[in-house]
Amino acid sequence: MFKIFNHYFRRRIILQIAMYSMVIVSTLIVSLALQGGVGVFNGAVISSGVIRGGVMAIGIIGVNFALGLYDRPGKLTIGQVRARAVLSFVLSMIIAASILLLLPLQPPYQNEQTLIALLLIVGGMLVMRLLGNEMLPSSYTRQRVLIYGTGGRASIVGQSLLENDPSIELIGYFRGPQEKGPVIQGLNVITPGKTLTDVVREQRVNEIVVALSERRGGSMPLRELLDCKLQGIRVIDLATHFEQLLGQIHLEAVSAGWLIFGDGFKQGLVRSVVKRLFDIVGSGILLLLSSPVMLVTALLIFIESGRPIFYRQERVGRNGDVFDVIKFRSMRQDAEKDGTPRWAGAGDTRVTRVGKIIRKMRIDELPQLFCVLKGDMSLVGPRPERPYFVERLTLDIPYYALRHGIKPGLTGWAQVRYHYGASIKDAEQKLQYDLYYVKNHSWLLDLIILFETVGVVLTGKGAQ
């Protein structure tokens, strides 16, 4: 794992992004050098290739993030990967052509030849993607992991590793001296016949995840774990494992001490000012671009079910302050005629025909841009919840109030990582992602969320 601006990236993704960027930049430099004469690698050629290639790489990588091509493999079928890879190729060519149009090459260099060279190279990467081949050898991305523990927690860790990271090679489960019987069945359970350091050395382990159900009474071989760490082996606990691998703060693994004494939860002045400026500029641009869509939506709602076009609803914001959120009305006027708040679920009969469309495309959320301009919300943050549900969830779910430490957002980490929530169990799952964002929020994570939000809107993932 690599930590960049408070966000964790898998080594495979970082190496893949670096390789893609190097290939694009190198293709531009070689193409320009060949056009200027064989072997002409002067400063102008290199700087031109680096600038244009770097911008192209950022755009193409952003498209891939939005389409979920860097997502964990279990979330997409082979057909979805291939369809999105083709779409990525088309959008990549549009990005490359647009950059060459905005930053045209000067004679004797030709934009058309450079674009053809890029088309061939990016097309080659596309073919490799369609065939399921990685550009990097598995030896560079393979991570050999040993889980210390054989109980329920160890089982959860093993399942998450196998489902979410193909670069992980699970060596097995090392049984602790105080564990009476393994929950793990049919897998490689290593009994304490050998010492932990011997197993690590023999199996060439790169990382140890401590997942004991009980960590008191001498069950932790502290000396051996320290020896492993001194040998360059990564040793992490259960909470850190889920934070780094899945981008969530796992409620069953976390403790108040881990939250208090760990890093994160930074609320600096510079970060707040930059985020606010980004919210103002971003929401203003989005309102301008989406105004035709909003006008058509308002007209369709009025034609189908009359007024009101919008509806206001109380939501809980930063530090528990209550504000009114504005959305396009997607339900009947009498959706809560009994006065009892209810979550919207799949196939909700209260949703109108126009409402189904605008909810699926997230158009009903657009008026919240005015809340962002006003300062009640941010473009990125935990989704604001109604006071009625906040009171219930705060009592039922530990650490729920922590999500109100920052402004709520139009979109958020939970929205791009988890499907639409309509129950206390869903709220608990989404909270784990919200806590990750509150702990690790940064401008880079905001950009990733915005890119992935585009993909969510385009694919209709998680809509109700």
Side-chain angles (χ1 to χ4, degrees):
M1 286 289 176
F2 291 94
K3 188 175 184 180
I4 303 175
F5 292 106
N6 292 335
H7 182 56
Y8 294 96
F9 294 89
R10 297 185 185 92
R11 181 169 60 177
R12 176 178 58 86
I13 291 177
I14 293 296
L15 293 176
Q16 191 174 19
I17 289 174
M19 180 65 72
Y20 276 28
S21 301
M22 290 173 59
V23 168
I24 293 171
V25 172
S26 300
T27 300
L28 274 175
I29 293 176
V30 171
S31 175
L32 295 177
L34 292 176
Q35 291 179 48
V38 179
V40 179
F41 288 96
N42 54 39
V45 167
I46 295 175
S47 62
S48 181
V50 169
I51 293 173
R52 290 168 175 79
V55 176
M56 289 179 189
I58 292 173
I60 293 172
I61 290 168
V63 166
N64 289 340
F65 263 114
L67 294 175
L69 294 179
Y70 296 130
D71 214 333
R72 51 187 186 270
K75 298 186 69 175
L76 297 176
T77 64
I78 295 177
Q80 288 174 326
V81 170
R82 290 176 177 174
R84 295 187 186 194
V86 173
L87 180 58
S88 171
F89 175 72
V90 173
L91 294 176
S92 297
M93 288 299 98
I94 293 174
I95 290 172
S98 300
I99 291 171
L100 290 177
L101 182 65
L102 295 173
L103 298 172
L105 298 169
Q106 301 300 320
Y109 308 113
Q110 299 182 18
N111 297 285
E112 294 80 5
Q113 290 187 15
T114 304
L115 188 59
I116 291 173
L118 282 169
L119 184 141
L120 293 174
I121 292 297
V122 177
M125 293 190 292
L126 167 66
V127 172
M128 293 183 66
R129 184 70 181 180
L130 292 177
L131 295 175
N133 296 325
E134 293 288 347
M135 295 182 64
L136 294 164
S138 59
S139 58
Y140 284 90
T141 59
R142 183 67 62 185
Q143 189 83 355
R144 296 173 64 84
V145 178
L146 176 68
I147 299 175
Y148 189 84
T150 56
R153 289 188 171 187
S155 177
I156 295 173
V157 171
Q159 184 177 0
S160 69
L161 285 171
L162 295 175
E163 291 179 353
N164 295 287
D165 198 337
S167 64
I168 292 295
E169 183 178 352
L170 183 56
I171 301 303
Y173 301 81
F174 190 90
R175 184 177 175 184
Q178 303 298 324
E179 292 185 306
K180 297 181 179 179
V183 173
I184 311 297
Q185 298 294 335
L187 294 173
N188 185 18
V189 176
I190 303 170
T191 58
K194 295 183 178 180
T195 65
L196 179 61
T197 49
D198 289 340
V199 172
V200 167
R201 188 181 306 108
E202 292 173 2
Q203 299 294 333
R204 305 186 309 281
V205 172
N206 304 117
E207 180 177 303
I208 301 172
V209 181
V210 180
L212 291 169
S213 300
E214 177 58 60
R215 298 174 60 171
R216 295 173 296 181
S219 60
M220 289 274 289
L222 299 179
R223 180 62 193 181
E224 290 189 73
L225 288 173
L226 181 58
D227 288 340
C228 292
K229 193 164 187 177
L230 291 174
Q231 295 174 21
I233 311 300
R234 293 184 72 243
V235 180
I236 61 174
D237 60 5
L238 196 60
T240 303
H241 160 77
F242 283 107
E243 181 183 20
Q244 295 184 2
L245 181 69
L246 299 183
Q248 61 178 218
I249 305 298
H250 203 279
L251 295 178
E252 294 182 4
V254 76
S255 65
W258 187 86
L259 293 172
I260 293 171
F261 297 110
D263 59 357
F265 298 103
K266 295 179 181 179
Q267 303 285 348
L269 178 61
V270 175
R271 164 66 176 158
S272 299
V273 171
V274 171
K275 188 173 177 65
R276 181 59 186 148
L277 289 175
F278 182 77
D279 288 340
I280 294 173
V281 175
S283 58
I285 293 174
L286 289 174
L287 278 171
L288 183 64
L289 294 176
S290 63
S291 55
V293 176
M294 294 176 69
L295 288 173
V296 172
T297 301
L299 180 61
L300 292 175
I301 293 174
F302 180 77
I303 292 174
E304 181 184 27
S305 54
R307 296 180 178 176
I309 305 289
F310 304 95
Y311 82 94
R312 293 176 177 269
Q313 194 176 72
E314 286 189 341
R315 297 292 174 98
V316 178
R318 185 177 184 181
N319 298 324
D321 296 334
V322 177
F323 69 97
D324 286 335
V325 74
I326 308 172
K327 299 178 70 174
F328 279 120
R329 181 173 59 83
S330 59
M331 292 188 176
R332 304 190 311 263
Q333 291 94 330
D334 61 347
E336 291 182 352
K337 57 184 178 181
D338 58 356
T340 302
R342 294 193 297 274
W343 274 305
D348 199 316
T349 58
R350 299 174 296 165
V351 180
T352 63
R353 287 176 295 177
V354 173
K356 290 180 181 178
I357 297 174
I358 64 176
R359 287 167 72 92
K360 186 175 184 61
M361 301 180 68
R362 303 301 203 279
I363 295 174
D364 62 319
E365 310 277 359
L366 289 177
Q368 293 180 73
L369 289 168
F370 292 106
C371 299
V372 176
L373 273 177
K374 185 181 177 182
D376 292 327
M377 294 178 61
S378 178
L379 285 177
V380 180
R383 293 289 291 130
E385 192 53 84
R386 301 169 69 176
Y388 174 82
F389 293 123
V390 169
E391 291 179 7
R392 291 178 55 194
L393 295 172
T394 302
L395 294 175
D396 294 338
I397 304 176
Y399 309 114
Y400 187 83
L402 291 180
R403 71 193 301 273
H404 300 131
I406 61 176
K407 285 183 182 179
L410 184 63
T411 184
W413 188 236
Q415 278 60 53
V416 298
R417 297 282 95 185
Y418 192 76
H419 59 75
Y420 193 93
S423 67
I424 292 180
K425 183 64 176 177
D426 288 332
E428 183 176 299
Q429 293 296 320
K430 295 182 75 170
L431 174 63
Q432 295 180 145
Y433 293 104
D434 284 335
L435 290 181
Y436 177 87
Y437 179 80
V438 175
K439 183 176 184 291
N440 299 292
H441 67 93
S442 67
W443 63 269
L444 178 60
L445 183 54
D446 285 354
L447 287 177
I448 292 172
I449 292 171
L450 290 173
F451 275 127
E452 294 197 8
T453 299
V454 174
V456 169
V457 173
L458 290 176
T459 60
K461 182 175 65 175
Q464 293 288 343

